[in-house]
Amino acid sequence: MWLGPEEVLLAGALWVTERANPFFLLQRRRGHGKGGGLTGLLVGTLDVVLDSSARVAPYRILHQTQDSQVYWAVACGSSRKEITKHWEWLENNLLQTLSIFDNEEDITTFVKGKIHGIIAEENKNEQPQSEEDPGKFKEAEVKMRKQFGMPEVEKLVNYYSCSYWKGRVPRQGWLYLTVNHLCFYSFLLGKEVTLVIQWVDVTQLEKNATLLFPECIKVSTRDSELYFSMFLNINETFKLMEQLANIAMRQLLDNESFLQDKSLPKPRKPLKNISALKRDLDARAKNECYRATFRLPKDECLDGHTDCTLWTPFNKMHIPGQMFVSNNYICFASKAEEACHLIIPLREVTIVEKADSSSVLPSPLSISTKSKMTFFFANLKDRDFLVQRISDFLQRTPSKKPCGSDREWKWNLADPGSEEVPELPSSSPLAVSPTPALSCRPVNFCAGEVPTASQGLLKLFRRNSEELLGPKGAKEKMKEESWNIHFFEYGRGMCMYRTARTRELVQKGIPENLRGELWLLFSGAWNEMVTHPGYYADLVEKSMGKYNLATEEIERDLHRSMPEHPAFQNELGIAALRRVLTAYAFRNPTIGYCQAMNIVTSVLLLYCNEEEAFWLLVALCERMLPDYYNTRVVGALVDQGIFEELTREYLPQLSEKMQDLGVISTISLSWFLTLFLSVMPFESAVVIVDCFFYEGIKFILQVSLAILDANMEKLLQCCDEGEAMTILGRYLDNVVNRQSVSPPIPHLHALLTSGDDPPLEIDIFELIKTSYEKFSNLKADDIEQMRFKQRLKVIQSLEDTAKKSVVRAVSGDIGFSIEELEELYVVFKAKYLMSCYWGNNRAAAARRDQSLPYLEQYRIDVEQFKELFISLTPWSCGAHTPVLAGRLFRLLDENRDSLINFKEFVTGMSGMYHGDLTEKLKVLYKLHLPPALNPEETESALEATSYFTEDVTTEETQDDKGRRNENGPEKEEKGTSPQDYRYYLRMWAKEKESKKETIKDLPKMSQEQFIELCKTLYNMFSEDPVEQELYHAIATVASLLLRIGEVGKKFSNKPMRKSEDCRANNTQDPVSEEESPTSEHSQNSAVEQQPQADHEDKTCGDVQPEKAQQENQTLGDASAEGPGSPLQLLSDDETKDDMSMSSYSMVSTGSLQCEDIADDTVLVGCEGSSAAARYGSTIDTDWSISFEQILASMLTETALVNYFEKKVDILQKIKDQKKVERQFSSSSDYELSSVSG
């Protein structure tokens, strides 16, 4: 590439001049290419350690003038070819012009101007893409690609200098972190280390320090543990590695591949050596942390944050902290944890103004909201810029919202006297109160259904109202009054100041009238609800009357959701629950419906109206409990791992016992998935839900630890899992809420587990208090960190389980061992994943359906199969291999969806690796019959179909024919129509029958198909050590089989001739016995020439068949119309019997080499001009041969028998395939000249 001219003082240091003229020098780096000796090794080591650009560009061109000591670098190149092109351009275009100048300074100025002009011209087109990444970084990306053989689509995120510990020796080098791989390269005095690890293979990442390794990062995979140390910034490196591994886990979990965010704001000042991708990942990490801290919607992106102070009127103080600004929110978090959190939605903001600065209060800013609250921020560093950003976001914020004031709506709900909310006038405008409008919606879109109430079901089904007048009712009133005082002091609605006082009130239990409101606020669901007006109503309308697997499961579980509560003993509650669950299943088909969602949703509906319950469910499933409710409950398993880790840390005595009993895995899933609702009395569990919405998963883990701690003595004396479960079950059944105003609901679990002794009751508020006293030092950030670590472990263990179940499912019918199958599965999955992140489309990811059985989840297409086949097949056929791979793919793809699963893949491989000669030949034979052989590759589609009908029923043949001829609509419809089940049943029945298949069941082979078989065999033997013997053997067998076919034709033709009338003039006479020797001689001589020809030039012969197939594809339809021009295999003056010529031509097609063919010879299947002849009189449609005849002929030749019966180690092939996959070069940069020059 051309370089902006840079000054070089010592032109000879570490460089060797290869060409020179009066104005330019072409130089090569010492040590690059062959030789170099000790100097080369030293220079190579220096280049790697110092990350010199000479590693990627070992050639350069310098500009010089005779009297000057200064040189200018004008071009560099990675290969001799590239640099020579630049050198020739300079010689042809500049040398003559430069010789005219008298002044040397003018020469240098002219050269510089010319080079700058070339660079500007080149950059014209590339500017949009390349301006993002700094030059030094681009150079590193080029090095990475060259070093590790990565394609253009593999993006480098960052690179670091570090040491890799090989044994006890550190190897200094460079660690490259790309989107999909961790790569390391080191070259020290001739010793080279090259590592490439896919992020999807990483099972553990740890940052630790030991005596042996100073502060280091340990990367574990299933096969190895790697240690890297001596980082300049180990924390940044480790954080980035965690992020990339997390992205890979997401890809394994739900097919979410990495898509770069192109809409990132440009940095205000250029960032040195930081790529756009690194900025993108940093922004993602900050966004995730920001959203989690303030419970904001998933699409909210942080724009920036700044230090400031916030005036808090409740304690008359300026609290230091940070202000965060994003597209739709202004948030504040105090530096002292729990001092104050604030969320101001921009939709609520009315005025943003700069107040006058003073020495006491520099740079103040006041923000006023619709609910008449004003917030004062001060000590803002860049106030003007901040105000400008906020005003920009305010302009983009839609002004018309369905509710004007949170406060008005909330007070309506809070007023105990306004229980009959539906009585409010339905005509009241949306801007005043959304509640009446929402109450009408369900009636409108569910006409004919039972209408649902616009409020929590608990209000409609409240019994025992005398409780409200007793001491419990008085306690409830006091709680409400405490909250009203809190609202007065700290504000109400989204803009409430959230402090330690708020948490104290939540711990004491939220009053029933306020529960729905505060759940919506603390979870952040309220934000999503008000910004998506009508969304829920539309979803319900769309989902009503639709049926799928999720709706079936929902119907099954509806009556199991809190059956003991009166609200769900009638159609009103059941209908509401059905609508919410169905709407969510349609919103998020990847989750759809999962057991436990019904229990949680039914509780939400008791305190909220339908729309509110829906948005709370969204917040739970998508933000607060990520991945909990998918098919594999990954999120719950992750948090179970965290719980085990915390038990080890806080309750070490109990931890070991619990592990031995295997209890934690059993209890944690039921506790976490239902937030204790299924294991605790309802009125107690709902207090847990209160704290959960305020604190998040941290609180659930905290309470779980407190429960184990309270039962420690009993659990330590347990003998088995059942006893431990009974102890914990009884304890939870007796956790009571003595303050609840609702009548106690009989707890089913309690009835089943009650023992003889009167139970000891535990007050829920005491349990919560204990959990805060003992385990409150759990931090949300630490839990997120632990979640990452556990997610790696859980997903990799799920992948291992999937591998084992797939291997177990296929091992019975396949000849491979378990170890071989596991290795094949790894290769197969890697090929699929590679297409996900290196294929530029999302087709591969789209075809993985998580709901399918493991065996069907990874499927590959024909191109991926060809790549695997070429690297793993024991039958290498040179350039003919892809053709053979395509045929095997068609043979394996029985359902014609152009994809094959792992079982089909290993079935095909097993056919080539296992079984005796007969089995292997049977596979080879089938590869030359339809459906494996394309109609274009044989006489015609019609004839191909007629052969196929011999071993399937007429009905199925027509189906298959239609399927082969029509590639479009039917393929897409398959999988949705009811007939699909019958189709699969038929396929399975056919699969069962195929096991009984004998060699007699195989259809006969036509002459054209036999040609293709011979072609394959010739190509297959071309690189074998005993290829001469094999050629001789196959020549003998081919000529014998051709004669057998001729003899067979005599018998089959006689009765037909009698029945046919005068077609004799078009048909040749049968071959007479006198002519047979000539025919035989010509066949043998032609066939036996083959080995020498192949030996001389394999390439030409290998390419010909493919070329022929491509050229002849268009002529398939014309083939059946009539005889073509006669085939002229020999020169025109030689005349032979037509049949003998035909036989001769069949053997020679695609196997005779270029040197052996005369100018006037026309070869079947080798030239486009002879394509018509190929399908004309030369192809004898009456000629056929059976599998038994081929097998019997093959058995006469020892060389052929030995070839097909020799064992090939597939594990060795897999190892080689993994090496080739990334095109490692043994001393990458130092041999580039020989590779590319």
Side-chain angles (χ1 to χ4, degrees):
M1 60 186 280
W2 297 105
L3 301 172
E6 294 172 12
E7 202 171 295
V8 177
L9 290 174
L10 293 168
L14 309 180
W15 293 83
V16 180
T17 302
E18 294 201 334
R19 293 194 195 179
N21 62 39
F23 303 106
F24 298 101
L25 299 175
L26 189 156
Q27 296 188 323
R28 173 177 55 80
R29 187 73 164 175
R30 281 186 196 277
H32 179 78
K34 291 177 184 174
L38 182 61
T39 319
L41 290 178
L42 286 168
V43 173
T45 303
L46 275 173
D47 285 346
V48 169
V49 173
L50 302 176
D51 195 31
S52 161
S53 58
R55 272 182 61 215
V56 67
Y59 296 94
R60 70 179 183 184
I61 295 174
L62 302 180
H63 164 64
Q64 59 157 10
T65 49
Q66 285 178 351
D67 300 333
S68 172
Q69 295 300 308
V70 179
Y71 294 81
W72 299 87
V74 294
C76 67
S78 60
S79 66
R80 194 179 294 278
K81 187 178 178 183
E82 184 187 351
I83 207 72
T84 306
K85 189 178 162 192
H86 288 334
W87 179 262
E88 286 170 356
W89 188 91
L90 291 170
E91 283 192 328
N92 297 335
N93 295 285
L94 287 192
L95 275 190
Q96 221 168 355
T97 314
L98 295 179
S99 58
I100 299 166
F101 287 95
D102 297 329
N103 189 336
E104 288 190 356
E105 281 183 21
D106 293 346
I107 293 175
T108 304
T109 309
F110 178 78
V111 169
K112 283 185 186 176
K114 199 74 180 166
I115 299 299
H116 281 305
I118 295 169
I119 292 169
E121 193 64 35
E122 281 180 353
N123 286 352
K124 245 185 206 173
N125 305 324
E126 295 175 15
Q127 199 61 27
Q129 301 92 16
S130 59
E131 67 185 351
E132 288 185 334
D133 294 336
K136 182 81 177 157
F137 185 85
K138 277 189 222 159
E139 198 179 280
E141 192 163 42
V142 173
K143 283 177 201 165
M144 179 274 294
R145 292 221 180 95
K146 284 210 160 72
Q147 201 73 61
F148 306 104
M150 298 287 178
E152 284 288 321
V153 287
E154 183 68 353
K155 299 290 182 192
L156 178 65
V157 180
N158 215 348
Y159 62 105
Y160 302 94
S161 170
C162 70
S163 289
Y164 161 61
W165 291 79
K166 196 166 185 183
R168 296 194 174 193
V169 182
R171 299 294 179 87
Q172 185 65 28
W174 289 87
L175 182 73
Y176 296 91
L177 305 180
T178 75
V179 172
N180 301 298
H181 296 87
L182 176 153
C183 309
F184 177 81
Y185 179 75
S186 166
F187 179 88
L188 291 178
L189 300 177
K191 297 277 184 186
E192 188 177 50
V193 176
T194 308
L195 296 172
V196 176
I197 295 161
Q198 290 189 60
W199 289 118
V200 288
D201 292 335
V202 173
T203 54
Q204 199 176 4
L205 276 177
E206 281 182 299
K207 185 175 67 175
N208 51 24
T210 62
L211 282 172
L212 181 60
F213 305 118
E215 199 174 27
C216 70
I217 294 173
K218 176 184 167 190
V219 181
S220 307
T221 65
R222 289 178 180 83
D223 313 317
S224 58
E225 290 182 350
L226 311 170
Y227 292 88
F228 299 96
S229 67
M230 299 187 196
F231 290 93
L232 287 172
N233 188 343
I234 193 165
N235 292 330
E236 181 200 314
T237 312
F238 185 68
K239 209 170 168 186
L240 182 58
M241 288 165 94
E242 279 192 327
Q243 250 186 309
L244 292 166
N246 221 354
I247 289 168
M249 291 308 107
R250 286 243 74 87
Q251 190 180 334
L252 284 177
L253 179 61
D254 52 19
N255 259 8
E256 235 181 62
S257 65
F258 179 79
L259 291 171
Q260 189 179 345
D261 183 2
K262 302 286 186 186
S263 61
L264 277 182
K266 293 274 182 287
R268 291 167 71 187
K269 55 184 181 187
L271 301 167
K272 191 184 173 189
N273 287 352
I274 295 182
S275 68
L277 260 178
K278 174 75 168 67
R279 282 179 49 230
D280 181 3
L281 287 168
D282 288 345
R284 281 172 195 235
K286 284 178 183 171
N287 287 338
E288 280 168 22
C289 183
Y290 171 61
R291 289 193 291 259
T293 306
F294 299 103
R295 305 272 166 79
L296 298 175
K298 285 180 85 175
D299 54 355
E300 196 61 26
C301 292
L302 179 65
D303 187 67
H305 56 91
T306 180
D307 289 339
C308 67
T309 57
L310 171 68
W311 169 254
T312 49
F314 51 86
N315 61 0
K316 309 287 187 293
M317 284 176 67
H318 289 282
I319 297 180
Q322 280 194 315
M323 178 197 274
F324 300 84
V325 180
S326 61
N327 310 19
N328 302 295
Y329 299 89
I330 299 168
C331 301
F332 174 85
S334 57
K335 286 189 176 165
E337 202 182 358
E338 293 300 324
C340 182
H341 266 215
L342 178 66
I343 300 165
I344 309 170
L346 289 181
R347 63 178 181 271
E348 293 293 314
V349 173
T350 52
I351 302 167
V352 178
E353 58 183 349
K354 293 182 272 189
D356 294 333
S357 288
S358 67
S359 56
V360 183
L361 211 61
S363 308
L365 179 71
S366 82
I367 297 173
S368 303
T369 67
K370 293 174 184 173
S371 53
K372 309 291 184 289
M373 290 179 79
T374 303
F375 304 94
F376 286 100
F377 296 92
N379 292 289
L380 291 157
K381 284 180 186 166
D382 199 347
R383 184 176 64 165
D384 294 343
F385 177 73
L386 181 68
V387 171
Q388 183 58 49
R389 289 304 288 162
I390 294 172
S391 63
D392 288 348
F393 288 134
L394 277 169
Q395 283 172 1
R396 292 180 219 160
T397 306
S399 55
K400 49 182 182 184
K401 286 290 167 196
C403 65
S405 162
D406 285 0
R407 201 164 181 176
E408 285 177 62
W409 171 65
K410 297 299 179 192
W411 279 110
N412 274 337
L413 237 137
D415 181 5
S418 67
E419 280 181 23
E420 295 302 310
V421 181
E423 289 179 11
L424 288 168
S426 58
S427 59
S428 52
L430 282 181
V432 177
S433 169
T435 313
L438 290 174
S439 72
C440 303
R441 272 188 201 135
V443 186
N444 295 340
F445 59 66
C446 303
E449 292 260 336
V450 178
T452 190
S454 64
Q455 56 193 326
L457 294 171
L458 201 63
K459 292 184 181 177
L460 296 177
F461 292 93
R462 176 169 285 158
R463 302 171 300 168
N464 204 359
S465 55
E466 61 270 12
E467 287 278 6
L468 296 171
L469 307 171
K472 286 187 178 179
K475 182 83 175 169
E476 186 78 358
K477 288 278 183 198
M478 283 171 63
K479 278 189 191 176
E480 282 183 20
E481 195 51 42
S482 299
W483 275 100
N484 287 335
I485 294 166
H486 183 273
F487 292 148
F488 180 75
E489 288 184 13
Y490 295 84
R492 188 166 191 174
M494 215 59 225
C495 303
M496 183 199 320
Y497 293 97
R498 299 166 198 214
T499 65
R501 173 71 184 142
T502 317
R503 188 171 74 178
E504 282 170 30
L505 285 175
V506 171
Q507 284 171 35
K508 289 175 184 172
I510 297 174
E512 288 195 348
N513 284 327
L514 295 175
R515 198 160 255 147
E517 169 190 350
L518 294 174
W519 283 359
L520 282 163
L521 288 183
F522 297 147
S523 66
W526 175 245
N527 284 322
E528 292 188 275
M529 189 171 83
V530 295
T531 51
H532 294 84
Y535 176 83
Y536 172 69
D538 293 343
L539 262 185
V540 173
E541 208 165 358
K542 284 176 193 165
S543 62
M544 273 313 185
K546 302 267 177 69
Y547 294 99
N548 55 26
L549 188 62
T551 55
E552 282 175 30
E553 289 178 353
I554 289 167
E555 285 302 323
R556 195 176 61 222
D557 283 354
L558 281 177
H559 295 279
R560 302 178 194 170
S561 312
M562 293 191 70
E564 62 276 11
H565 198 287
F568 297 99
Q569 289 166 359
N570 69 80
E571 190 52 34
L572 181 69
I574 294 292
L577 183 59
R578 178 188 291 117
R579 281 191 291 269
V580 173
L581 289 172
T582 309
Y584 187 76
F586 273 78
R587 168 189 163 86
N588 191 342
T590 52
I591 290 178
Y593 170 76
C594 173
Q595 280 189 333
M597 280 169 76
N598 60 321
I599 296 168
V600 175
T601 310
S602 56
V603 174
L604 300 178
L605 278 166
L606 290 176
Y607 297 100
C608 309
N609 70 34
E610 268 185 46
E611 183 171 30
E612 293 163 357
F614 170 78
W615 287 110
L616 275 170
L617 185 63
V618 169
L620 265 178
C621 295
E622 294 173 16
R623 289 187 287 109
M624 299 188 76
L625 297 174
D627 305 321
Y628 260 59
Y629 300 105
N630 57 25
T631 46
R632 300 193 274 181
V633 292
V634 171
L637 292 170
V638 167
D639 287 347
Q640 175 189 303
I642 294 175
F643 185 40
E644 286 180 26
E645 209 173 312
L646 292 173
T647 310
R648 273 196 298 276
E649 188 181 333
Y650 289 99
L651 308 169
Q653 291 171 282
L654 190 57
S655 172
E656 207 172 315
K657 183 74 175 176
M658 297 294 273
Q659 288 293 333
D660 294 343
L661 296 175
V663 174
I664 287 187
S665 56
T666 316
I667 58 172
S668 51
L669 278 184
S670 59
W671 293 2
F672 297 168
L673 274 170
T674 64
L675 305 174
F676 288 94
L677 288 163
S678 63
V679 292
M680 225 182 239
F682 166 72
E683 55 277 5
S684 304
V686 83
V687 182
I688 300 266
V689 178
D690 291 343
C691 296
F692 165 73
F693 276 124
Y694 188 77
E695 295 272 19
I697 192 64
K698 161 183 177 288
F699 177 75
I700 299 291
L701 292 165
Q702 201 172 285
V703 170
S704 302
L705 288 169
I707 292 167
L708 289 188
D709 186 46
N711 291 280
M712 190 187 291
E713 287 179 22
K714 290 181 184 175
L715 288 170
L716 285 171
Q717 291 164 14
C718 286
C719 302
D720 57 30
E721 183 187 1
E723 194 181 340
M725 292 300 293
T726 308
I727 288 167
L728 290 169
R730 280 190 186 155
Y731 178 86
L732 290 168
D733 291 336
N734 294 298
V735 175
V736 295
N737 178 1
R738 297 190 182 94
Q739 299 174 14
S740 173
V741 290
S742 296
I745 296 165
H747 186 47
L748 189 62
H749 193 260
L751 299 174
L752 297 172
T753 57
S754 58
D756 303 329
D757 305 326
L760 178 70
E761 288 189 341
I762 303 97
D763 185 70
I764 181 65
F765 298 105
E766 281 302 313
L767 177 63
I768 289 171
K769 189 179 170 189
T770 310
S771 81
Y772 273 102
E773 284 169 359
K774 291 192 174 180
F775 308 107
S776 62
N777 54 350
L778 281 181
K779 297 279 181 292
D781 292 348
D782 296 341
I783 288 169
E784 278 308 312
Q785 188 68 27
M786 291 160 87
R787 267 182 170 173
F788 160 75
K789 187 177 164 187
Q790 292 297 332
R791 194 178 290 124
L792 273 183
K793 202 182 287 183
V794 166
I795 292 177
Q796 293 294 14
S797 96
L798 285 171
E799 288 296 311
D800 289 344
T801 308
K803 177 169 77 175
K804 282 173 187 159
S805 71
V806 168
V807 166
R808 203 165 45 243
V810 302
S811 58
D813 316 326
I814 307 292
F816 292 117
S817 68
I818 296 291
E819 185 194 358
E820 288 169 338
L821 282 171
E822 285 184 350
E823 285 296 323
L824 280 168
Y825 180 80
V826 169
V827 170
F828 184 84
K829 187 174 104 178
K831 182 59 68 181
Y832 165 82
L833 289 173
M834 214 170 276
S835 73
C836 287
Y837 52 68
W838 282 352
N840 285 328
N841 54 27
R842 298 275 296 143
R847 64 175 177 253
R848 183 182 174 202
D849 183 354
Q850 295 270 347
S851 63
L852 289 171
Y854 289 136
L855 187 59
E856 290 286 337
Q857 281 192 15
Y858 295 116
R859 295 182 295 164
I860 59 173
D861 61 23
V862 65
E863 291 308 315
Q864 293 162 291
F865 178 77
K866 279 181 183 175
E867 289 168 26
L868 282 178
F869 181 89
I870 289 166
S871 56
L872 298 177
T873 180
W875 298 343
S876 181
C877 303
H880 192 64
T881 311
V883 179
L884 203 63
R887 288 177 192 166
L888 182 57
F889 184 87
R890 287 191 290 276
L891 185 68
L892 297 172
D893 180 23
E894 292 184 6
N895 59 2
R896 304 282 176 275
D897 63 352
S898 302
L899 295 170
I900 61 167
N901 63 26
F902 180 66
K903 183 172 185 179
E904 291 164 336
F905 169 71
V906 289
T907 303
M909 284 289 138
S910 182
M912 296 184 286
Y913 275 93
H914 297 287
D916 54 12
L917 171 74
T918 311
E919 291 302 314
K920 288 179 182 174
L921 276 180
K922 200 193 283 185
V923 173
L924 200 56
Y925 185 82
K926 283 181 179 176
L927 291 182
H928 296 83
L929 294 173
L933 199 66
N934 251 345
E936 291 86 357
E937 293 176 314
T938 54
E939 267 190 310
S940 69
L942 186 67
E943 186 181 338
T945 319
S946 73
Y947 273 102
F948 193 45
T949 54
E950 290 189 28
D951 68 81
V952 289
T953 65
T954 314
E955 181 190 335
E956 284 174 351
T957 305
Q958 283 167 355
D959 281 354
D960 283 346
K961 199 158 107 184
R963 222 171 268 115
R964 274 196 297 279
N965 294 341
E966 294 172 26
N967 293 330
E970 271 196 29
K971 234 181 236 180
E972 287 167 29
E973 282 169 30
K974 198 166 81 59
T976 55
S977 63
Q979 290 96 353
D980 206 24
Y981 297 112
R982 289 200 291 277
Y983 171 77
Y984 277 115
L985 284 169
R986 214 162 54 223
M987 293 310 294
W988 289 331
K990 226 160 117 186
E991 211 174 271
K992 289 269 186 285
E993 284 166 25
S994 66
K995 289 176 187 171
K996 301 168 193 169
E997 181 186 66
T998 65
I999 56 175
K1000 290 186 186 301
D1001 298 330
L1002 292 168
K1004 289 193 171 185
M1005 188 176 264
S1006 72
Q1007 199 174 54
E1008 184 78 10
Q1009 290 157 357
F1010 181 66
I1011 299 167
E1012 294 293 339
L1013 177 61
C1014 291
K1015 211 185 273 184
T1016 301
L1017 287 166
Y1018 275 119
N1019 283 304
M1020 201 185 284
F1021 303 149
S1022 66
E1023 291 171 19
D1024 199 271
V1026 290
E1027 61 178 328
Q1028 294 300 323
E1029 289 175 44
L1030 288 166
Y1031 282 143
H1032 184 78
I1034 196 60
T1036 311
V1037 168
S1039 87
L1040 174 64
L1041 287 167
L1042 284 164
R1043 289 206 302 281
I1044 290 170
E1046 293 300 324
V1047 174
K1049 195 185 78 168
K1050 278 187 192 178
F1051 295 107
S1052 62
N1053 277 1
K1054 277 177 187 173
M1056 287 168 66
R1057 271 218 184 77
K1058 288 175 186 172
S1059 63
E1060 284 176 5
D1061 56 354
C1062 268
R1063 280 181 59 205
N1065 15 347
N1066 289 339
T1067 311
Q1068 294 292 332
D1069 293 332
V1071 183
S1072 61
E1073 284 181 14
E1074 289 86 355
E1075 287 170 324
S1076 287
T1078 320
S1079 166
E1080 181 184 337
H1081 175 73
S1082 66
Q1083 287 159 1
N1084 283 336
S1085 59
V1087 172
E1088 284 170 15
Q1089 284 171 17
Q1090 177 58 33
Q1092 292 85 13
D1094 261 338
H1095 191 65
E1096 287 169 36
D1097 184 5
K1098 293 173 187 138
T1099 320
C1100 179
D1102 287 343
V1103 175
Q1104 291 291 356
E1106 279 190 277
K1107 186 177 166 189
Q1109 285 155 19
Q1110 290 163 6
E1111 288 171 345
N1112 291 330
Q1113 274 171 8
T1114 53
L1115 293 154
D1117 297 334
S1119 60
E1121 288 175 14
S1125 56
L1127 176 75
Q1128 298 188 342
L1129 178 76
L1130 306 170
S1131 39
D1132 292 337
D1133 53 317
E1134 292 183 62
T1135 51
K1136 297 235 173 183
D1137 172 64
D1138 185 42
M1139 210 54 245
S1140 107
M1141 287 201 302
S1142 169
S1143 308
Y1144 180 91
S1145 68
M1146 292 312 112
V1147 180
S1148 352
T1149 301
S1151 50
L1152 276 175
Q1153 304 309 313
C1154 304
E1155 297 93 324
D1156 302 315
I1157 302 167
D1159 293 338
D1160 56 347
T1161 305
V1162 183
L1163 265 185
V1164 175
C1166 286
E1167 293 296 332
S1169 58
S1170 68
R1174 178 180 182 181
Y1175 296 117
S1177 58
T1178 60
I1179 301 306
D1180 194 333
T1181 52
D1182 297 331
W1183 189 98
S1184 66
I1185 199 93
S1186 71
F1187 177 72
E1188 294 103 307
Q1189 290 166 329
I1190 291 177
L1191 176 62
S1193 308
M1194 289 274 201
L1195 287 168
T1196 60
E1197 294 291 336
T1198 317
L1200 292 176
V1201 173
N1202 291 344
Y1203 178 85
F1204 283 104
E1205 289 197 338
K1206 73 179 173 196
K1207 299 286 179 197
V1208 182
D1209 181 10
I1210 193 159
L1211 291 176
Q1212 189 55 47
K1213 286 259 184 193
I1214 290 170
K1215 274 183 196 165
D1216 297 342
Q1217 188 262 353
K1218 284 179 180 172
K1219 282 181 194 168
V1220 171
E1221 197 79 274
R1222 280 174 205 91
Q1223 310 152 9
F1224 286 146
S1225 47
S1226 57
S1227 55
S1228 316
D1229 280 340
Y1230 299 92
E1231 290 180 2
L1232 272 174
S1233 58
S1234 59
V1235 175
S1236 49

